[in-house]
Amino acid sequence: MSGQSHRKFESMDAPADAPRSIGDLAVATGTKAETIRWYERVGLLPAPARQGRGNYRTYGKEHLDRLSFLRRARDLGFNLEQVRALLDLADQKDQDCAAVSVIARAHLDAIERKLADLTVLREELRRVVGQCQHGRIDECRIIEALAPGMKEARQSGRRSARRG
Amino acid sequence: MSGQSHRKFESMDAPADAPRSIGDLAVATGTKAETIRWYERVGLLPAPARQGRGNYRTYGKEHLDRLSFLRRARDLGFNLEQVRALLDLADQKDQDCAAVSVIARAHLDAIERKLADLTVLREELRRVVGQCQHGRIDECRIIEALAPGMKEARQSGRRSARRG
DNA sequence: CTTGACCTTGTAGTTACTACAGGGCGTATC
DNA sequence: GATACGCCCTGTAGTAACTACAAGGTCAAG
Ligand SMILES: [Zn+2]
Ligand SMILES: [Zn+2]
Ligand SMILES: [Zn+2]
Ligand SMILES: [Zn+2]
């Protein structure tokens, strides 16, 4: 599973929570080393010890767990502000989980709004794309649909929202 | 419709293609003045004449048309690289519109992929959110779902794509 | 001793804008 | 005339979440 040969923190019995290099952690979590360092810089991962002669970062199981949590939350589309809040909450084990639920539901709502927006957009685009008859550009319905009033305004004054 | 009183390029008969200030163009297209200047800087809008004493930009109908086209394309989700290509194509009136169609279809495909991804995400999030029983955080199913292996690995090794 | 994989730091680039800061111009009002 | 107000100008920096170098240090193997 993990690297052999000349990897730094390779212990022979490999107790699964043995110290890891940043490269090991990267492989284990599917995260680039640069991203892991960046998470550290912005305070999402605690700075690990530096043990080797070469000032290398040395990670333990707590880092692996925290980074795995972070990445899974990112995969679910939570932004880093939300992830930060979730990580903080996950540490307060005896608190009520209401705040967790609030964050997750807010994110779900946002996704549903985005889905609704995209669905509208898809229909509009399908209509536009479907009208192209593949002729000259000055007769192309796609271009016409984008140029309201360049020949004649064909559509009523609709106006979509764009990020807001 | 447009400004009265002390607006700069206000003509009394207002022939609809009269020169406009950047503010007029902003109102007419629902674009902030800063954004219009930025489109100029990155070459999406031609630099207009500067006629007034105050070095102010003076726009004509061609700018209004081009900016309207641009904004409508943006509202449909085309990115600026695509908009740039579409604007270039729209000027070549006697060419075949195949390239236009290619761009539009590629964008539609991208939207459909995004929709598919988001739909999967929504289902996953709904499942996660729906399992929270509102108790203590160390029993919360949302936190558990985010922390694979922190107690026990519950899910099989799936891995989503994220921007790629 | 050299090679090569790995690590370190720091900086700049990506997308499509948005938000100032600091100042000029033109009209209206006191 | 002085002041206020609204619009315009340039230029810089910030946003989200990384990614891509550049320039160099360390370590084990051949
Ligand atoms: Zn992932
Ligand atoms: Zn066509
Ligand atoms: Zn719009
Ligand atoms: Zn819960």
Side-chain angles (χ1 to χ4, degrees):
Chain A
M1 254 312 184
S2 57
Q4 44 253 68
S5 74
H6 52 75
R7 286 298 262 273
K8 211 62 175 319
F9 308 112
E10 197 67 22
S11 52
M12 38 252 98
D13 35 347
D17 62 338
R20 299 158 187 269
S21 71
I22 197 171
D24 290 340
L25 197 57
V27 170
T29 61
T31 312
K32 300 195 175 183
E34 287 157 322
T35 305
I36 298 177
R37 286 188 211 106
W38 180 76
Y39 286 153
E40 181 184 328
R41 285 207 332 130
V42 298
L44 281 162
L45 277 184
R50 311 285 188 120
Q51 281 171 355
R53 284 271 188 296
N55 198 31
Y56 292 3
R57 289 171 176 82
T58 305
Y59 294 97
K61 179 167 187 310
E62 76 271 24
H63 297 99
L64 174 61
D65 287 345
R66 196 168 168 96
L67 181 54
S68 300
F69 185 109
L70 197 167
R71 294 299 277 182
R72 170 98 180 109
R74 291 290 297 125
D75 281 349
L76 287 175
F78 290 97
N79 65 31
L80 286 187
E81 181 188 5
Q82 295 171 319
V83 173
R84 205 181 290 268
L86 288 172
L87 279 166
D88 284 356
L89 286 164
D91 286 339
Q92 322 232 306
K93 300 203 184 298
D94 56 347
Q95 294 282 315
D96 191 285
C97 79
V100 173
S101 181
V102 165
I103 293 172
R105 275 172 206 283
H107 178 42
L108 180 52
D109 284 355
I111 285 186
E112 281 172 347
R113 278 194 304 274
K114 217 174 275 184
L115 265 169
D117 286 356
L118 267 189
T119 303
V120 170
L121 206 59
R122 177 183 56 183
E123 293 320 307
E124 201 157 352
L125 258 179
R126 275 185 177 164
R127 208 163 359 90
V128 167
V129 167
Q131 285 185 337
C132 168
Q133 302 293 329
H134 302 296
R136 287 172 35 153
I137 279 181
D138 58 0
E139 294 166 350
C140 179
R141 306 295 226 97
I142 296 175
I143 296 292
E144 278 176 35
L146 290 171
M150 239 150 153
K151 335 192 96 172
E152 271 169 23
R154 185 174 301 274
Q155 58 251 1
S156 53
R158 200 149 18 85
R159 201 145 288 277
S160 61
R162 195 209 320 270
R163 75 161 84 261
Chain B
M1 250 314 181
S2 57
Q4 43 253 65
S5 74
H6 52 75
R7 285 297 263 275
K8 213 61 175 319
F9 309 111
E10 197 66 22
S11 52
M12 38 252 96
D13 35 346
D17 62 339
R20 299 158 186 269
S21 71
I22 197 170
D24 290 341
L25 197 58
V27 170
T29 61
T31 312
K32 300 195 174 181
E34 288 158 322
T35 304
I36 298 177
R37 286 188 211 107
W38 180 75
Y39 286 153
E40 182 184 328
R41 286 207 330 129
V42 299
L44 280 162
L45 277 183
R50 311 284 189 119
Q51 282 171 355
R53 286 269 189 295
N55 198 32
Y56 290 4
R57 289 171 177 82
T58 305
Y59 295 96
K61 180 168 186 309
E62 77 272 24
H63 298 99
L64 175 61
D65 286 347
R66 197 169 168 95
L67 180 55
S68 300
F69 185 109
L70 197 167
R71 293 298 276 182
R72 171 99 179 108
R74 291 289 298 123
D75 280 349
L76 287 174
F78 290 96
N79 64 32
L80 286 187
E81 180 188 6
Q82 295 171 319
V83 173
R84 203 182 290 268
L86 289 171
L87 280 166
D88 284 356
L89 287 165
D91 286 339
Q92 323 232 304
K93 299 202 183 301
D94 57 347
Q95 293 283 313
D96 190 285
C97 79
V100 174
S101 181
V102 165
I103 292 171
R105 275 172 207 283
H107 178 42
L108 180 52
D109 283 356
I111 285 186
E112 281 172 346
R113 277 195 303 276
K114 218 173 275 186
L115 264 170
D117 286 354
L118 268 189
T119 303
V120 170
L121 206 59
R122 178 183 55 183
E123 293 320 306
E124 200 158 352
L125 259 179
R126 276 186 177 162
R127 208 164 359 90
V128 167
V129 167
Q131 285 185 338
C132 169
Q133 302 294 329
H134 303 295
R136 286 173 35 154
I137 280 181
D138 58 0
E139 292 166 352
C140 179
R141 306 295 226 98
I142 296 175
I143 296 291
E144 277 176 36
L146 290 171
M150 239 149 152
K151 334 193 95 172
E152 271 169 23
R154 186 174 300 272
Q155 59 251 2
S156 51
R158 199 147 21 80
R159 200 144 289 277
S160 63
R162 196 209 318 270
R163 74 162 83 263

